[in-house]
Amino acid sequence: MKKEVKTNVMRILEKEKVDYEAHYYPHGKEAVDGVTVAELTGQNPDYVFKTLVTVSNKKEYFVFVIPVAEELDLKKAAKAVGAKSIEMIHVKDINKITGYIRGGCSPVGMKKQFVTTYHETAQNNPVIMVSGGKIGTQVECKPDELLKITKGQYADICKD
């Protein structure tokens, strides 16, 4: 039997005594969209969240965690973090800013702890899944525990 490979995300969750369940899905070298990840892991897409990184007009970085089938509303997101305006970071900058690659970006264990906001629907779910820190790996946790270790908040940040 193949040994489970622990990611940095899993090590942080264990260190913080956060219960999690790892899920794995088959993949190539490229990232797949979140709805496909939900299908590959047999999960309801409402419980699978993607991690998006933005930059404000003042060059501050903000992290938003939203359901995979939803789209981030940049105006609502900026308001939630008290920024005048924000925009998505360029894909080429993901690794430099977060330490992760596209498709493996997790709100847990970035190079720096940025202000992190979870879509308000997360708090209604018994568990949510976020990236485990690399393509092909997801971790399932209670949303309030993720919120606590990322010093996050809940807000209405998706497009209507």
Side-chain angles (χ1 to χ4, degrees):
M1 192 167 135
K2 203 169 107 179
K3 186 177 178 281
E4 179 183 314
V5 178
K6 285 228 167 43
T7 64
N8 195 37
V9 170
M10 293 172 195
R11 285 189 280 279
I12 291 168
L13 293 173
E14 288 172 5
K15 182 176 159 258
E16 297 292 329
K17 297 187 178 12
V18 172
D19 287 332
Y20 73 91
E21 186 178 336
H23 296 266
Y24 302 94
Y25 61 91
H27 62 90
K29 288 200 184 317
E30 292 300 310
V32 295
D33 69 275
V35 174
T36 303
V37 169
E39 288 170 7
L40 291 170
T41 55
Q43 301 297 314
N44 177 335
D46 293 344
Y47 287 39
V48 181
F49 282 60
K50 58 187 171 185
T51 304
L52 305 171
V53 183
T54 64
V55 62
S56 75
N57 55 314
K58 293 183 178 174
K59 301 292 179 234
E60 299 167 298
Y61 295 102
F62 298 99
V63 176
F64 296 95
V65 186
I66 66 171
V68 293
E70 299 292 330
E71 204 176 321
L72 184 66
D73 183 315
L74 294 173
K75 281 190 172 31
K76 286 182 182 179
K79 186 177 178 189
V81 295
K84 186 174 178 180
S85 67
I86 59 170
E87 62 183 40
M88 297 298 296
I89 63 168
H90 292 285
V91 172
K92 67 177 176 45
D93 295 331
I94 290 173
N95 185 261
K96 180 175 74 177
I97 294 164
T98 68
Y100 290 121
I101 61 166
R102 180 174 180 264
C105 192
S106 178
V108 178
M110 289 190 183
K111 284 181 177 180
K112 267 183 74 180
Q113 183 61 61
F114 300 113
V115 172
T116 303
T117 303
Y118 295 78
H119 187 252
E120 61 189 2
T121 57
Q123 64 192 324
N124 304 329
N125 296 341
V127 293
I128 63 170
M129 281 180 35
V130 296
S131 174
K134 66 182 206 174
I135 297 173
T137 307
Q138 295 276 296
V139 291
E140 177 182 318
C141 311
K142 290 180 179 162
D144 286 346
E145 291 192 350
L146 275 176
L147 195 82
K148 193 169 92 184
I149 67 166
T150 59
K151 297 176 179 60
Q153 64 178 349
Y154 293 117
D156 175 12
I157 53 175
C158 290
K159 289 190 175 176
D160 293 327

